[in-house]
């Protein structure tokens, strides 16, 4: 990066501040990955976005580990990570619930659903599986478990009795 240690300390006074900056970069990266998922015409986008992000995350295990570590740190209101994580969760819940509502308006998903609550549970599942993945030393099948959750969720939200196919390539 071309920064000396004093230069680094100027921008990041503590290790926690540096980790918060890296966590912020992870959130930006996830948002970029979400935008890169194409918009299929079959109503599967809200599910595919998370699946694609999960597949990419496992290729960068250090970012998952940092996320889990910083999540615990962010719980304290005095933490430098608190506002970053609170803002991130608020933004992501709004984005995911918006994707679900848009897909419901297109007729693919049921309309009479509290998609903000669904989005909150959706995030909780992803974050909880990431924690379990870290605790297992990467042995947990994060992608497989997330795919199974998304397939089950799709069954409950799909407007028709036919299941959504999340196995085909996007």
């Amino acid at each position: 990066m071309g920064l000396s240690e004093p230069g680094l300390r100027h921008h990041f006074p503590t290790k926690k501040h540096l980790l918060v900056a890296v966590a912020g970069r992870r959130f930006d990266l996830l948002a970029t990955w979400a935008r890169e998922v194409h918009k299929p015409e079959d109503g599967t986008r809200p599910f595919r976005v998370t699946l694609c992000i999960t597949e990419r995350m496992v290729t960068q295990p250090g970012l998952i580990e940092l996320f889990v570590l910083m999540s615990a740190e962010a719980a304290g209101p005095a933490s430098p990570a608190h506002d970053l994580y609170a803002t991130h969760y608020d933004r992501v819940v709004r984005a995911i619930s918006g994707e679900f509502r848009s897909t419901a308006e297109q007729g693919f998903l049921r309309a009479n659903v509290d998609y903000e609550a669904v989005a909150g549970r959706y995030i909780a599942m992803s974050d909880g599986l990431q924690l379990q993945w870290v605790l297992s030393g990467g042995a947990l099948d994060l992608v497989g478990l997330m795919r199974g959750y998304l397939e089950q969720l799709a069954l409950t939200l799909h407007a028709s009795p036919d299941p959504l196919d999340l196995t085909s390539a996007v």
Side-chain angles (χ1 to χ4, degrees):
M1 289 181 14
L3 277 178
S4 64
E5 187 175 331
L8 187 64
R9 288 179 188 226
H10 170 74
H11 293 287
F12 307 103
T14 68
K15 180 180 174 182
K16 285 184 182 180
H17 286 91
L18 176 60
L19 292 175
V20 168
V22 173
R25 175 67 182 117
R26 180 203 193 242
F27 294 152
D28 293 343
L29 187 60
L30 295 178
T32 298
W33 291 348
R35 285 189 300 274
E36 291 173 354
V37 176
H38 90 288
K39 297 188 182 213
E41 301 296 322
D42 61 359
T44 60
R45 178 168 164 75
F47 307 99
R48 288 187 188 278
V49 167
T50 296
L51 191 55
C52 288
I53 287 173
T54 303
E55 289 170 345
R56 289 183 80 173
M57 279 190 312
V58 297
T59 68
Q60 299 185 17
L63 287 179
I64 296 175
E65 293 165 1
L66 174 67
F67 171 76
V68 169
L69 175 72
M70 292 304 297
S71 294
E73 172 69 26
S79 166
H82 183 79
D83 288 342
L84 173 71
Y85 272 71
T87 301
H88 167 72
Y89 277 110
D90 190 46
R91 185 173 3 116
V92 171
V93 166
R94 278 196 320 270
I96 292 171
S97 61
E99 285 275 352
F100 279 128
R101 280 192 295 278
S102 174
T103 305
E105 289 167 5
Q106 295 170 34
F108 291 109
L109 301 178
R110 293 184 8 235
N112 60 339
V113 174
D114 179 355
Y115 283 113
E116 191 164 311
V118 170
R121 290 189 299 270
Y122 195 82
I123 300 283
M125 177 62 77
S126 176
D127 290 359
L129 287 174
Q130 288 177 71
L131 171 61
Q132 292 177 49
W133 182 87
V134 168
L135 294 173
S136 75
L140 183 90
D141 182 5
L142 180 60
V143 174
L145 289 170
M146 196 66 203
R147 180 185 305 278
Y149 167 73
L150 295 171
E151 288 171 347
Q152 192 67 34
L153 181 62
L155 283 173
T156 65
L157 298 178
H158 199 215
S160 85
D162 301 323
L164 291 174
D165 179 15
L166 300 180
T167 59
S168 62
V170 287

